[in-house]
Amino acid sequence: MRVARFDYHIHESYSQDARDSSVERYIKAAEEKGIDEIAITTHQIITGEFSGFGVQPAEVQSYVDNIHKLAESTDVVLRVGLEIDYFPEAERELEALIDEYPFDFILGSTHFIGAYDVGSRRDTPAFFSGRSLKEAASDYFNLWRKAVESGLFDSMAHPDYWRRFLYLVRPDPVDFIDYGGALEAIDALVSYDVGFEVNTSGWRHQQKNQYPIRCFLEAANDAGVKKVTLGSDSHLPDQLGFLLPEAVDLLRDVGFKYISSFTLRKNQYNPIDSVVRTVKNK
């Protein structure tokens, strides 16, 4: 069985959509699969309609303490992280939260564009209605770029997550020509030394590929982006490590040389040929 050594996008029981997925269960899954290191990145949504969806500010200390305690019981390396939704009006509040705790890894995301949750079946039709796909993508990537420029995040999650329910309004395949604002967002990654994630959950979301599409990867590599993280976006322990070896193969084929991991928010470049290995099935 081929496995990737790292999985840096994992949701556990503080996320409302992963209530039954304890850190203990993820440790067991990692041990069984032979995964060396996992970053727990439960949701944190600091404002808006869904602010109760993830870990609350008053719960963060318990969240951090639990991961540190459980790290003592396993050889699997546990990294303490969050997936934090970016809201420009809440930058100072987000910065204060991040600075208060000894996080290893902060993953940024932009699920919410104005009034729309772009990863929801409910809001997708309205978000794309009445305009070109390129215009809608520009709105998304403009906010994504601002998140990069905020300096709050180590890596940015699922760069083209807006595709999740796009099939509801557009059955045709998406072309990179429609990715309005993506090149500017990629340039910001280089300028602000921020990474991005290859997220394999797209294969579970009827996308038939990962987030982002290959053309985004090629553009990022051409622009000089070096920091790339791997994420299964697991909400269940069975999903841990999902298709990450295939993601590494794709990144290698595009030309990337490293996969990033983080300790206390300091980046380590891991040679890409060292990231996937074969383990015996247990």
Side-chain angles (χ1 to χ4, degrees), residues 40-273:
I40 312 299
T41 55
T42 214
H43 284 293
Q44 207 295 311
I45 304 171
I46 207 156
T47 189
E49 178 184 355
F50 295 97
S51 60
F53 190 79
V55 64
Q56 300 300 294
E59 298 172 327
V60 173
Q61 186 66 65
S62 295
Y63 167 76
V64 171
D65 289 345
N66 183 54
I67 296 172
H68 283 160
K69 179 181 178 181
L70 292 172
E72 299 174 0
S73 67
T74 179
D75 290 332
V76 176
V77 177
L78 304 185
R79 299 301 184 197
V80 182
L82 290 173
E83 180 185 7
I84 295 181
D85 267 275
Y86 174 71
F87 298 93
E89 68 276 15
E91 272 196 21
R92 289 186 179 180
E93 194 174 353
L94 290 172
E95 183 178 18
L97 176 68
I98 292 168
D99 288 347
E100 187 173 351
Y101 300 96
F103 292 111
D104 292 301
F105 178 64
I106 300 295
L107 185 63
S109 60
T110 51
H111 295 95
F112 306 100
I113 311 300
Y116 302 109
D117 176 357
V118 297
S120 76
R121 184 183 296 272
R122 179 193 70 178
D123 287 355
T124 290
F127 178 72
F128 289 101
S129 177
R131 55 180 173 168
S132 70
L133 178 57
K134 189 171 185 177
E135 290 172 323
S138 291
D139 276 358
Y140 176 90
F141 280 115
N142 285 342
L143 184 64
W144 202 85
R145 173 180 51 78
K146 290 177 182 177
V148 172
E149 294 171 349
S150 74
L152 294 171
F153 307 114
D154 301 311
S155 185
M156 291 296 297
H158 35 57
D160 52 1
Y161 189 66
W162 49 268
R163 288 191 294 123
R164 178 169 184 181
F165 290 108
L166 185 61
Y167 66 86
L168 296 174
V169 295
R170 176 188 167 119
D172 301 328
V174 179
D175 193 285
F176 195 59
I177 196 172
D178 293 318
Y179 276 47
L183 293 178
E184 292 81 1
I186 288 170
D187 286 342
L189 293 174
V190 177
S191 298
Y192 288 82
D193 193 27
V194 176
F196 75 94
E197 170 194 67
V198 176
N199 182 307
T200 55
S201 68
W203 291 98
R204 302 195 302 268
H205 296 164
Q206 303 183 36
Q207 300 302 316
K208 301 181 180 178
N209 56 23
Q210 68 295 316
Y211 304 112
I213 61 173
R214 181 182 178 117
C215 288
F216 186 104
L217 298 176
E218 292 171 342
N221 184 59
D222 290 345
V225 177
K226 291 184 172 60
K227 290 182 182 177
V228 183
T229 57
L230 300 174
S232 63
D233 209 341
S234 295
H235 289 70
L236 296 167
D238 288 349
Q239 297 169 347
L240 189 69
F242 177 71
L243 292 184
L244 293 183
E246 289 76 7
V248 174
D249 291 344
L250 173 60
L251 285 163
R252 183 190 295 110
D253 189 55
V254 168
F256 286 93
K257 304 299 183 185
Y258 304 99
I259 300 297
S260 283
S261 58
F262 289 83
T263 305
L264 292 176
R265 306 200 62 198
K266 293 184 178 179
N267 173 64
Q268 177 177 331
Y269 287 114
N270 302 277
I272 200 166
D273 289 336

Side-chain angles (χ1 to χ4, degrees), residues 1-15:
M1 178 176 66
R2 296 173 73 232
V3 298
R5 292 171 49 210
F6 308 106
D7 190 339
Y8 264 57
H9 193 153
I10 296 165
H11 293 282
E12 51 72 78
S13 57
Y14 277 101
S15 293

